[in-house]
Amino acid sequence: MASSAITPSAAGLRALSHPTRLKMLMLLRLEGPATATQLAQQLKLNTGAASYHLRQLAEHGFIAEDTERGDARDRWWKAAHESTRANLDARSGEEEAESAEAYLHTVALMYTETLMQHAEERRYLPAPWQAASTTSDWHLRLTPKRAEQLVEALAKLIDDWREDGEDASGTGSFVVNLNAFPRPGTVVLEGDDS
């Protein structure tokens, strides 16, 4: 992949706010290059719809054509980055705020779907994978600055926590979702005069 992360524009966040596109990007990142036909089969779409979503992802720099694969008939696509780092700055304009909110809703839906799938299959996992899994939460009292430092430290820790070599024996695809935010309803919102 060209670089490790992309920080999308407001238009890019809008493009990613479609669940199918976010799923396609995830599949290309996790499973490697694919054609529109292959992705259509996995996501139960028609090939035309898959091609449209792939073009939208390419337009915003999330994916690129894999020119080392395919021929005149098959067009292969690959992820252009390992991760997406959304800049959800509250001080941005209305358009950026709406794009960020739509993106967050889609991400929350995907996280929920993945967590529900884990809950359904957890008891069937081998014991070592059950022991390695958690759905823990912590409620801390922090200033915004300390909260930001915590998120940065956790992101760095997670980025550095990889097995050496992709084919290391006994490895599996392990999901880490980092959700960090003020508990809803506990912080006075800007513009709230009540």
Side-chain angles (χ1 to χ4, degrees):
M1 293 184 192
S3 66
S4 64
I6 182 173
T7 302
S9 64
L13 285 178
R14 271 194 309 282
L16 277 187
S17 68
H18 194 290
T20 298
R21 291 184 201 136
L22 205 52
K23 286 178 184 177
M24 283 181 162
L25 180 58
M26 179 187 69
L27 287 170
L28 291 172
R29 285 178 176 164
L30 296 175
E31 298 178 7
T35 65
T37 302
Q38 292 169 330
L39 291 168
Q41 289 172 346
Q42 274 188 283
L43 298 172
K44 297 177 179 43
L45 300 170
N46 67 53
T47 305
S51 294
Y52 171 77
H53 290 304
L54 287 166
R55 286 193 305 273
Q56 293 297 308
L57 289 170
E59 181 181 325
H60 295 284
F62 297 108
I63 65 171
E65 188 172 355
D66 188 349
T67 55
E68 296 177 9
R69 298 175 189 261
D71 51 36
R73 245 186 70 197
D74 287 324
R75 191 172 187 186
W76 285 74
W77 297 94
K78 63 183 178 181
H81 310 89
E82 291 178 352
S83 65
T84 303
R85 302 272 170 96
N87 181 6
L88 307 176
D89 189 345
R91 295 168 297 207
S92 57
E94 187 65 25
E95 180 183 354
E96 290 84 1
E98 287 177 6
S99 296
E101 186 175 331
Y103 169 75
L104 282 174
H105 280 268
T106 302
V107 168
L109 286 171
M110 288 198 55
Y111 284 178
T112 301
E113 184 179 293
T114 302
L115 185 58
M116 293 300 291
Q117 289 170 341
H118 167 70
E120 289 173 7
E121 71 177 36
R122 184 183 191 290
R123 68 180 168 152
Y124 303 108
L125 291 173
W129 282 117
Q130 286 186 30
S133 302
T134 183
T135 54
S136 303
D137 65 345
W138 291 261
H139 290 255
L140 309 173
R141 294 200 56 82
L142 300 171
T143 63
K145 183 66 177 168
R146 287 289 289 163
E148 183 179 0
Q149 291 169 345
L150 174 62
V151 170
E152 289 172 1
L154 290 170
K156 181 177 180 350
L157 178 67
I158 293 165
D159 283 343
D160 292 343
W161 201 263
R162 296 181 192 275
E163 295 286 351
D164 290 336
E166 288 185 31
D167 296 326
S169 178
T171 64
S173 183
F174 195 72
V175 176
V176 178
N177 291 328
L178 176 57
N179 303 304
F181 47 84
R183 187 165 54 91
T186 64
V187 175
V188 176
L189 305 177
E190 289 184 17
D192 187 3
D193 297 328
S194 53

